Amino acid sequence: TEMKPNCCRLIVNVSWIFFVSFGRGCMNYMLPVSYAWGNFSVLAVGIWAIVQRDSLDAITMFLTGLLLTVLTDIIHISIFYPPRDYISDAKRFSVGMAILSLLLKPVSCYLVYRMYRERGGE
């Protein structure tokens, strides 16, 4: 079965919002480099998964990467959240965008899982 165009548009729009909020989350170098590398890697695999519409491996790797980055993002944000005395408005905005990116990931996971099922995954 072929994916409906509306579903593809929704996945691209959610991924775009995720990318923008993730980029703003990296803005102040408050989070470690591993946060950026992990999310950029998943974004690259996501582009691969959307471009290759018949690849079950690509969509599986994308879904697995998204699920892993949910866990690592929680760890990064909780460990590297600045103390109350040392948080500026820019850092607060950066953390807020990283949290927004984290909150959007379950929506992305659901949409990618639907894509996985439509491509023949069990």
Side-chain angles (χ1 to χ4, degrees):
T1 60
E2 186 149 335
M3 286 191 61
K4 298 174 180 72
N6 290 337
C7 185
C8 285
R9 280 190 209 123
L10 186 60
I11 290 170
V12 169
N13 287 334
V14 169
S15 297
W16 178 250
I17 294 169
F18 160 72
F19 175 70
V20 168
S21 61
F22 156 68
R24 296 296 180 196
C26 293
M27 188 170 70
N28 269 333
Y29 305 106
M30 182 191 69
L31 296 170
V33 177
S34 58
Y35 173 80
W37 274 104
N39 283 295
F40 277 130
S41 300
V42 169
L43 184 65
V45 172
I47 292 169
W48 173 45
I50 289 174
V51 169
Q52 284 195 337
R53 294 178 188 250
D54 58 340
S55 175
L56 194 60
D57 291 338
I59 201 70
T60 304
M61 287 177 60
F62 185 38
L63 183 58
T64 304
L66 274 174
L67 292 171
L68 285 174
T69 57
V70 167
L71 178 65
T72 58
D73 286 359
I74 291 170
I75 292 169
H76 282 125
I77 293 170
S78 62
I79 289 176
F80 294 99
Y81 193 84
R84 186 173 162 172
D85 299 339
Y86 298 105
I87 190 163
S88 64
D89 288 339
K91 285 185 180 180
R92 186 174 295 128
F93 176 74
S94 181
V95 170
M97 294 308 279
I99 291 171
L100 176 65
S101 171
L102 178 61
L103 291 174
L104 286 174
K105 281 186 183 178
V107 175
S108 295
C109 287
Y110 171 73
L111 293 172
V112 170
Y113 179 72
R114 279 187 51 196
M115 187 187 294
Y116 169 77
R117 296 290 297 196
E118 290 175 1
R119 290 185 184 183
E122 296 181 17

